Amino acid sequence: MRIIAQKRMHLSKAQAGVFYYVHAERPFYDELCEFMASEPVVVQVLEGEGAILKNREVMGATNPAEAAPGTIRAEFAESVGENSVHGSDAPETAAVEISYFFAGLELVG
């Protein structure tokens, strides 16, 4: 895999809320939005064969209590709402999520 776009930014709680709108009805939504707005984040786009699946393996299960040892979430996440990393789950969601943070000219693959 290789990084084809990356930036560091500080999201507002409202911006995090828009990004995570699919989780608005879940009990961890407010905690997640608050956490994502609490510090700067690094957003990036990865490219490569099987990038989504490979990245999800490195991240570990969404619930850090269920994440395999050595994964990002097992090592650094506090809870589902404070889980330290996000990754798209399908090409369709990746397209939406990438366009939220990057303009087409910023993708330099």
Side-chain angles (χ1 to χ4, degrees), residues 2-6 45 47 102-109:
R2 69 185 191 132
I3 298 169
I4 62 168
Q6 177 174 287
V45 180
E47 139 180 296
F102 297 97
L105 292 174
E106 294 179 291
L107 304 175
V108 290

Side-chain angles (χ1 to χ4, degrees), residues 21-67:
Y21 75 95
V22 297
H23 300 301
E25 300 301 318
R26 299 204 175 161
F28 59 84
Y29 176 75
D30 285 333
E31 178 187 21
L32 177 60
C33 293
E34 190 73 40
F35 179 69
M36 291 303 295
S38 68
E39 297 287 338
V41 296
V42 175
V43 294
Q44 58 184 209
V45 180
L46 302 175
E47 139 180 296
E49 188 168 332
I52 291 172
L53 181 59
K54 287 177 185 174
N55 190 48
R56 293 189 69 79
E57 288 173 3
V58 170
M59 290 187 311
T62 301
N63 183 342
E66 299 170 1

